[in-house]
Amino acid sequence: CLQDPASAYRFTGAVCRLTYPAAVVLNEKTTKVIEAAFQHARYPSMKGEKSLLFIGKVMYGLDNLEIHNLSIGQSAFELHPGEGIAMEISNVSAVFKGTIQYGYGSWLVNFGHSVDFEIDSQIDLGINPKLYCGDGKVAADTTDCYLNFHKLRLHLQGDKEPNWLKKLFTDFITLTVKLVIKGQICKEINKAANILADFIQDTAEQFLTDGDISVDIGITAAPVITANYIESYHKGLTKYNNKIAVINESVFHPSQLTEDRMIYFWISDQFLNPMLKAAHQDGRFQLNVSGEELTVNNTGEHKMHFLHEGVYYLRGGGSQPTYMALCGKVISFISTLKDAFVVCVPVLGVELTRLLDKQGLYQFDLFNPEVLPRDGFVVIQMDFGFPHHLLVEFLKRTLQ
Ligand SMILES: CCCCCCCC/C=C\CCCCCCCC(=O)O[C@H]1CC[C@@]2(C)C(=CC[C@H]3[C@@H]4CC[C@H]([C@H](C)CCCC(C)C)[C@@]4(C)CC[C@@H]32)C1
């Protein structure tokens, strides 16, 4: 995984750009993820002691800490160019309940006591995820995570008006409880963030697997974050019959994508052609085409080449090579070229739609997808919603 994205572009077969509006949609689901992190966190039993100079020491233990009546306010975020994501989850309110064991020991007297407690809390949570290349995938580092406790009132056994000694003791215990809660919550959030990143990448990888054909979408460089988008760079290497495609002349440049749609997939010819060839060899790409100008049965090797005017689909062989280009619904002869035969027809769209649905694309709320053929690559851009069932599927993974 190269640290400098620009030096990785030539090895990049696919790019995914997630713009700010898409992050807003995902962020709307963040509160559910944070809620799961709070509820799923397990608070370990904890023991400690504090010496009181010359007058002995205080011992304490915290057990059975649980969270109740959790409610999450709103979540806001910003994309910090070259840095990461800044997230603020405010008005988190919860009641923590548990058991405290405490005691006092000195040369003169020793005593101990165990008492149930509950803590009303109002918390603001701040998380600043940074994205990096972890084991060939996009990984999230959320160690920059903090909890601001606006209110953390500890009531011992329902005692709402403690005396000064109990108040001194509860203030000390309150500090300890804050540290335990922060440590566990931030640990759960880091786990949730990486499960989310893996879930998305696994979904994309499954989407690109069909029978014995699969695609390695491991990343070629660390993701880039600007004020308007998050962009990840992927190998796009087709694996079939123990052979893995090679990409070394890819032509990606960030200027080839705009920023007005929610999600963009930039796909190189060098990614698609090996996939098409494998699909043909595996007998998955059977296409009988007839139209006013001609009828063909595909028999030779296939190569997909994208040009600005439309999608070109080449078939090797054929005596009189004829080029046809898909320009919307119009099929027209364009030219003849040596030892190749091009057929590009609207029926290709029907086949692609069938394949996309078979791969589970219907599960996504995708709006206004556009396929833009360009010289040497194609851009697929669309808007999307994060369907509730996908969130449930993701949270099941988080709570495993
Ligand atoms: C995935 C749907 C597939 C539809 C396909 C349509 C047709 C496309 C045809 C061919 C495609 C070929 C190329 C596919 C390559 C895709 C590779 C691919 O999967 O790219 C993804 C890489 C990871 C990521 C950058 C991404 C998206 C979302 C990012 C995540 C958003 C929030 C996540 C934060 C960590 C939030 C933490 C919140 C927590 C509660 C604190 C964040 C930023 C993690 C990283 C992902 C795109």
Side-chain angles (χ1 to χ4, degrees), residues 14-16 18 26 30 33-34 85 87 127 129 131 138 140 142 189 192-193 196-197 200-201 203-204 207-208 217 223 230 232 234 265 267 271 356 361 364 366 380 382:
V15 174
C16 181
L18 201 78
L26 289 170
T30 300
V33 178
I34 299 290
I85 305 163
M87 303 177 74
I127 315 159
L131 301 184
V138 177
T142 63
I189 283 173
L196 177 59
I200 292 165
Q201 295 170 89
T203 303
F207 173 79
L208 294 164
I217 58 167
I230 299 169
S232 56
H234 302 267
F265 295 103
I267 304 170
F271 167 15
L356 291 174
L361 196 58
F364 294 85
L366 303 180
I380 301 175
M382 61 192 90

Side-chain angles (χ1 to χ4, degrees), residues 48-65:
E49 63 181 46
K50 180 88 179 158
S51 327
L52 304 175
L53 212 53
F54 308 123
I55 55 172
K57 62 181 178 181
V58 172
M59 295 78 75
Y60 62 85
L62 205 56
D63 293 302
N64 315 321
L65 189 60

Side-chain angles (χ1 to χ4, degrees), residues 9-297:
Y9 290 160
R10 55 197 287 255
F11 306 108
T12 297
V15 174
C16 181
R17 175 176 289 185
L18 201 78
T19 60
Y20 190 87
V24 168
V25 168
L26 289 170
N27 184 56
E28 285 159 11
K29 307 298 179 190
T30 300
T31 48
K32 289 294 177 201
V33 178
I34 299 290
E35 208 170 286
F38 267 86
Q39 281 162 338
H40 191 245
R42 290 292 167 263
Y43 304 97
S45 293
M46 195 199 61
K47 294 193 185 317
E49 63 181 46
K50 180 88 179 158
S51 327
L52 304 175
L53 212 53
F54 308 123
I55 55 172
K57 62 181 178 181
V58 172
M59 295 78 75
Y60 62 85
L62 205 56
D63 293 302
N64 315 321
L65 189 60
E66 288 179 347
I67 191 165
H68 297 266
N69 308 347
L70 174 70
S71 78
I72 304 266
Q74 60 278 359
S75 162
F77 79 96
E78 278 182 358
L79 298 180
H80 289 177
E83 282 293 317
I85 305 163
M87 303 177 74
E88 293 245 332
I89 295 96
S90 48
N91 297 332
V92 178
S93 67
V95 175
F96 293 92
K97 293 184 180 178
T99 306
I100 284 184
Q101 289 149 16
Y102 61 93
Y104 170 77
S106 75
W107 53 278
L108 186 65
V109 68
N110 284 290
F111 74 87
H113 196 41
S114 170
V115 65
D116 291 340
F117 71 88
E118 64 179 61
I119 301 179
D120 289 333
S121 68
Q122 284 287 341
I123 303 170
D124 282 348
L125 176 61
I127 315 159
N128 301 307
K130 291 182 173 43
L131 301 184
Y132 66 98
C133 175
D135 195 19
K137 280 184 163 182
V138 177
D141 170 5
T142 63
T143 42
D144 184 356
C145 163
Y146 58 87
L147 278 67
N148 286 335
F149 292 84
H150 291 302
K151 180 181 83 176
L152 191 70
R153 212 190 334 275
L154 173 60
H155 307 307
L156 293 178
Q157 214 162 11
D159 176 354
K160 307 281 184 187
E161 296 301 330
N163 61 35
W164 70 271
L165 178 63
K166 260 194 180 177
K167 176 106 180 59
L168 181 70
F169 182 74
T170 52
D171 287 352
F172 173 70
I173 289 294
T174 300
L175 179 62
T176 309
V177 167
K178 277 183 182 177
L179 293 175
V180 169
I181 293 172
K182 177 202 175 292
Q184 292 306 104
I185 293 296
C186 289
K187 192 164 77 173
E188 283 297 318
I189 283 173
N190 193 54
K191 198 168 78 173
N194 283 289
I195 291 175
L196 177 59
D198 281 352
F199 176 70
I200 292 165
Q201 295 170 89
D202 293 349
T203 303
E205 194 134 339
Q206 282 159 21
F207 173 79
L208 294 164
T209 299
D210 193 29
D212 296 334
I213 301 169
S214 61
V215 179
D216 175 359
I217 58 167
I219 59 176
T220 55
V224 163
I225 293 183
T226 72
N228 301 318
Y229 61 75
I230 299 169
E231 189 164 80
S232 56
Y233 310 95
H234 302 267
K235 294 175 186 172
L237 302 179
T238 300
K239 296 186 276 188
Y240 179 62
N241 272 355
N242 300 322
K243 288 182 195 151
I244 297 184
V246 172
I247 293 180
N248 53 25
E249 294 303 327
S250 210
V251 294
F252 175 72
H253 190 274
S255 62
Q256 294 165 345
L257 300 176
T258 56
E259 298 174 14
D260 57 326
R261 300 302 300 276
M262 291 172 84
I263 191 165
Y264 296 78
F265 295 103
W266 181 97
I267 304 170
S268 160
D269 280 6
Q270 292 196 316
F271 167 15
L272 272 189
N273 290 331
M275 192 155 69
L276 193 65
K277 181 177 173 183
H280 173 69
Q281 286 173 351
D282 202 52
R284 293 171 182 276
F285 200 89
Q286 300 297 330
L287 189 58
N288 289 321
V289 173
S290 62
E292 296 81 44
E293 290 78 10
L294 78 166
T295 298
V296 290
N297 293 313

